[in-house]
Amino acid sequence: MTRKEPMLFDKPSPQEVLASRGEASPADGRHRNMDANRPHSVFVELEPFDRRPDRPPEMTQVLTLLLASSECSLQCSMCDLWRNTLDHPTPPGALPNQIRVGLRHWEERTGNAAGGTIKLYNSGNFFDRRTTPSADDDTIAKLCDRFDRVVVENHPLIGTRRLFEFAKRLRGKLEIAVGLECIAPRMLDRLNKRLHPGQFFQFAQHLKDASIDLRVFLIHGLPWLAPKESYAWTILSARFAAAAGARHISLLPCRTGNGFMDRLAREGHFHPPTRKEMQAVMVALDNDSRFDRGPVLTLDTWGLDPELPKSDAPDLGEVPKSGTRNV
């Protein structure tokens, strides 16, 4: 009887994830943005605002800023967002300068004086003091005054008191985007998220009590899960997020690019999900009566294989798409 070899990085530590960054492929090894006064990227897009049975969703214009700020402290196993961050704490005044760049782009593209949504995505946690100096909170809130909705990313266990104080400063509605990723029990420690479903659900209730909206990111195709198992857990994770009160659920494909995932792929332990697999999950969610009146469901296609020619594409019905987190 032979001993079964342990799987590579069965329960990776943050140190192991960091040590694997050198494994990232050259095509993915982009230089980090070192200009703290300019966002990594700015774009205007349309996004569904609601979900109603038998009617097309209402659409809203969105200004998305991928901000240059300090790196998240969590070092999650599958995250490649560190490539877009500064290698030092965000200087005071830098984020307001970046937002002003985005506002000029918004005015040039839309001509809108008020309304719409602004997303301030910083590849980490918006209410981490290293990422967003608290001295900038008032200025940022005033710069966002023209928008009806302000969306920021944040881990439920970081800066929660500051989060609720910031919500009171805004004219519009605050929405917190949380990377729940997957609720499969054997995935929780492997993801290095430091977030369990009970903590997430409690946080969601606190947001609801404060009239703050919740957006949830789910990742499909994680390593350690067989394709059918991954499919089932993504569906269950979406249902859990909806039960917690999520207004918007965005489904993302697990991808290479952070070094650790590249190594798993080379060792044969990770196979990125295909466009067909992602669309199959979206079709299942779209046809699930539990979601007839919400939350909004979108698919982020960043990192997926190219679109198939029309003659070869599977007939999976209409799938809502969003490029809202293409970092």
Side-chain angles (χ1 to χ4, degrees):
M1 182 173 160
T2 59
R3 290 179 58 190
K4 185 178 179 181
E5 290 188 8
M7 185 173 179
L8 179 67
F9 295 132
D10 190 50
K11 289 186 178 180
S13 68
Q15 291 75 25
E16 288 173 317
V17 173
L18 283 171
S20 298
R21 286 186 175 178
E23 304 282 341
S25 61
D28 290 322
R30 294 179 294 177
H31 294 294
R32 298 174 77 160
N33 180 13
M34 291 292 102
D35 187 350
N37 289 299
R38 293 193 64 81
H40 183 72
S41 184
V42 180
F43 49 93
V44 175
E45 58 190 337
L46 283 175
E47 183 177 89
F49 179 76
D50 60 5
R51 180 180 175 84
R52 295 169 289 182
D54 305 320
R55 280 195 291 173
E58 180 184 348
M59 305 297 287
T60 186
Q61 284 188 311
V62 180
L63 170 64
T64 299
L65 283 82
L66 307 183
L67 300 170
S69 60
S70 65
E71 182 183 341
C72 175
S73 61
L74 296 178
Q75 280 91 46
C76 298
S77 304
M78 70 295 153
C79 184
D80 60 0
L81 301 181
W82 57 270
R83 298 177 305 173
N84 305 325
T85 60
L86 305 172
D87 59 2
H88 54 80
T90 309
L95 294 186
N97 286 339
Q98 294 183 48
I99 294 171
R100 292 183 184 102
V101 172
L103 292 179
R104 289 194 291 271
H105 181 78
W106 171 259
E107 291 166 358
E108 292 169 0
R109 288 290 304 275
T110 70
N112 292 343
T117 295
I118 184 170
K119 294 180 185 176
L120 303 176
Y121 284 176
N122 59 0
S123 303
N125 300 291
F126 192 80
F127 298 105
D128 183 338
R129 293 183 182 276
R130 177 182 168 89
T131 297
T132 309
S134 57
D136 289 338
D137 285 0
D138 279 335
T139 303
I140 292 173
K142 290 174 183 175
L143 289 170
C144 295
D145 191 60
R146 69 179 71 187
F147 295 96
D148 295 331
R149 181 173 299 273
V150 179
V151 186
V152 301
E153 301 171 297
N154 205 74
H155 191 285
L157 302 183
I158 295 177
T160 50
R161 177 180 295 181
R162 184 179 168 199
L163 182 162
F164 292 108
E165 292 174 351
F166 183 76
K168 295 175 184 177
R169 291 183 169 98
L170 295 175
R171 178 193 68 81
K173 187 90 162 177
L174 179 62
E175 181 167 294
I176 303 299
V178 177
L180 177 62
E181 323 306 8
C182 180
I183 64 169
R186 64 191 180 90
M187 294 300 298
L188 300 178
D189 291 336
R190 288 166 168 166
L191 291 175
N192 285 329
K193 289 289 299 186
R194 285 77 140 183
L195 180 65
H196 287 248
Q199 296 170 310
F200 169 84
F201 199 90
Q202 185 178 43
F203 177 71
Q205 297 313 299
H206 290 328
L207 293 183
K208 183 178 180 180
D209 292 342
S211 297
I212 298 171
D213 282 342
L214 172 65
R215 179 179 298 233
V216 173
F217 297 124
L218 298 178
I219 295 183
H220 181 67
L222 290 162
W224 303 290
L225 293 175
K228 288 185 178 180
E229 192 180 12
S230 182
Y231 176 91
W233 277 114
T234 297
I235 300 296
L236 290 173
S237 298
R239 291 174 180 170
F240 178 79
R247 188 197 70 84
H248 189 134
I249 296 175
S250 181
L251 182 62
L252 295 84
C254 194
R255 59 183 183 243
T256 56
N258 73 337
F260 176 75
M261 298 302 297
D262 300 77
R263 184 169 183 184
L264 285 183
R266 283 193 293 273
E267 295 290 335
H269 298 301
F270 172 58
H271 303 280
T274 65
R275 184 177 293 267
K276 181 179 178 180
E277 290 170 340
M278 296 296 297
Q279 289 179 324
V281 176
M282 285 301 299
V283 168
L285 293 175
D286 204 40
N287 291 324
D288 191 328
S289 60
R290 294 173 179 82
F291 303 110
D292 278 352
R293 298 187 179 277
V296 173
L297 301 168
T298 54
L299 170 63
D300 192 323
T301 58
W302 181 265
L304 285 177
D305 54 324
E307 190 78 63
L308 293 171
K310 205 164 190 180
S311 59
D312 297 330
D315 184 10
L316 294 172
E318 291 296 321
V319 179
K321 297 179 181 179
S322 170
T324 56
R325 202 173 189 242
N326 55 347
V327 293

